[in-house]
Amino acid sequence: MTFAKQFIDAGFLSSAKDLILVSGVIMLVLIAFKNGIKAIVTYWMARFGVGIEAYFGSKLLNGFLMLPYKWHLTCNSADLINAVN
């Protein structure tokens, strides 16, 4: 404890209880910071994934809708769902 007090050079850490309290608050701040960064990264990863899904979904749907009319008459429209799966 004396090494930590000298290293930090804090006079308010007069006892072990104060040192434990300050280190607990520091850990709480670090954990909150880590969770905030993780939430931001998860949010942007989800947005990126949705963008990719929307792009490929629109390409698939446009390709399906641009097929000749004769194909639509002779085939099942559920083939799009089978192609996606």
Side-chain angles (χ1 to χ4, degrees), residues 6-75:
Q6 290 173 353
F7 184 72
I8 297 172
D9 193 27
F12 62 91
L13 298 175
S14 59
S15 68
K17 287 182 182 181
D18 293 337
L19 184 63
I20 291 171
L21 181 64
V22 168
S23 66
V25 169
I26 290 171
M27 287 298 122
L28 182 65
V29 168
L30 289 174
I31 290 171
F33 179 72
K34 186 237 355 152
N35 288 343
I37 295 296
K38 184 176 181 181
I40 291 169
V41 168
T42 303
Y43 172 75
W44 284 107
M45 284 176 57
R47 282 185 58 98
F48 181 72
V50 166
I52 289 175
E53 288 177 12
Y55 174 76
F56 284 114
S58 69
K59 289 293 182 188
L60 257 171
L61 186 60
N62 283 337
F64 178 74
L65 292 177
M66 297 300 170
L67 289 173
Y69 184 67
K70 185 178 178 182
W71 183 89
H72 286 283
L73 291 176
T74 59
C75 294

